[in-house]
Amino acid sequence: MTPSPSPFFVSTDWLAANLGAPDLVVVDGTFFMPDENRNAEAEYRAGHIPGAVFFDIDAIADHTVDLPHMLPSPEAFASAMRALGIAETMRLVVYDASGLLGAPRVWWTLRLFGAKDVKILTGGLPKWKAEGRALESGVVGRPPQSFSVQFDAAAVAPAAAVLAASQTGAAQIVDARAAPRFRGETPEPRPGLRSGHIPGSLNVPWREVVDKGEMKAPADVTAAFTQAGVDLAHPIITTCGSGVTAAILLLALETTGKNGIVLYDGSWTEWGGCADLPIAQG
């Protein structure tokens, strides 16, 4: 069995050739923005890549906080993976129904908790469908597996660390939201949040690094960050609205060879909803 050549992605050809391998699990990581009015789980049930399990980031989350899809505890994550039939030693391929939106968040989460081999399907479900490949409906059930968690806490930034970076410049804060939201010119899609950005942060809208549901070439990704004033030689914290598209920027940076990127899980949903945290506009 020929291994995938990319450290981040597999092609639809590769996945089609490897479907059914006993150590391979396909993961549907579909997530839709609040204003899309689409139901990720319902769309998974209606049609998914054969054998794929559904990773629901709103269900596999910390339900003790009033923030959407925050990381669960290691114990809760291990329990969820057992139910999905995923062990940390398996080869995992994540995709989503948008091409490249929810999959990077699931890819990041799986790696964060200790999965050894996680890749993303290039082009996601839209490419798979466009090629006329098989789909199946319903819910996939797999035998329970034991997932041995090794949680990388250093890869997640709490609000206090982001505030310190904002004040000291020890790390660059890069925001994945669209420019009008970053500048505070348009209201946030989630009610009750202030408009603007973390003081001192830089803006690389996630669509600047994605083209037709696929990650742009490393040179184009590098250009997008450098044009926004990001120094790739210095530490970076990625942020966004609720920690999803921040993972797209993190993945994009890793494709350029940048390592050690930290993600602010609470992102603007936490920051913009906390009156004690400073904001900037413009």
Side-chain angles (χ1 to χ4, degrees), residues 18 48 81 88 115 131 134 181 220 265 269:
N18 286 273
H48 54 260
M81 294 306 98
E88 81 283 357
E131 294 169 349
R181 288 175 63 190
D220 295 327
D265 198 23
T269 304

Side-chain angles (χ1 to χ4, degrees), residues 29-259:
T30 298
F31 166 82
F32 296 118
M33 295 296 190
D35 57 358
E36 290 186 87
N37 296 315
R38 294 173 66 180
N39 185 307
E41 184 177 6
E43 293 197 19
Y44 162 79
R45 289 173 178 268
H48 54 260
I49 293 175
V53 296
F54 181 59
F55 188 118
D56 185 344
I57 66 170
D58 286 312
I60 304 173
D62 183 354
H63 299 291
T64 68
V65 297
D66 189 24
L67 294 170
H69 43 256
M70 295 295 97
L71 290 168
S73 68
E75 295 78 16
F77 184 83
S79 177
M81 294 306 98
R82 174 180 172 80
L84 287 180
I86 295 175
E88 81 283 357
T89 55
M90 292 174 165
R91 295 182 298 161
L92 309 176
V93 176
V94 186
Y95 73 89
D96 66 60
S98 301
L100 194 68
L101 178 57
R105 170 73 186 198
V106 174
W107 166 85
W108 174 74
T109 302
L110 287 163
R111 297 195 318 161
L112 188 74
F113 282 100
K116 310 299 184 191
D117 186 353
V118 192
K119 292 183 170 62
I120 294 173
L121 180 65
T122 297
L125 191 61
K127 182 175 174 63
W128 185 270
K129 285 182 174 180
E131 294 169 349
R133 300 186 188 273
L135 295 174
E136 67 176 6
S137 60
V139 176
V140 172
R142 292 178 49 81
Q145 297 287 337
S146 175
F147 192 106
S148 179
V149 169
Q150 291 182 298
F151 180 62
D152 185 6
V156 187
V162 179
L163 178 62
S166 170
Q167 294 170 335
T168 67
Q172 301 162 101
I173 304 164
V174 186
D175 194 321
R177 293 176 300 155
R181 288 175 63 190
F182 177 83
R183 294 192 294 261
E185 298 168 353
T186 57
E188 286 294 303
R190 292 179 175 84
L193 300 182
R194 299 173 295 168
S195 295
H197 58 265
I198 299 167
S201 59
L202 302 167
N203 186 210
V204 179
W206 68 271
R207 295 183 188 277
E208 295 294 319
V209 299
V210 175
D211 181 34
K212 298 176 182 176
E214 298 185 23
M215 185 64 69
K216 289 185 177 180
D220 295 327
V221 169
T222 296
F225 280 90
T226 55
Q227 288 168 10
V230 180
D231 185 344
L232 297 182
H234 292 297
I236 294 174
I237 298 171
T238 63
T239 184
C240 60
S242 64
V244 175
T245 59
I248 297 177
L249 293 192
L250 186 148
L251 170 64
L253 288 163
E254 287 210 10
T255 68
T256 72
K258 175 72 174 175
N259 295 311

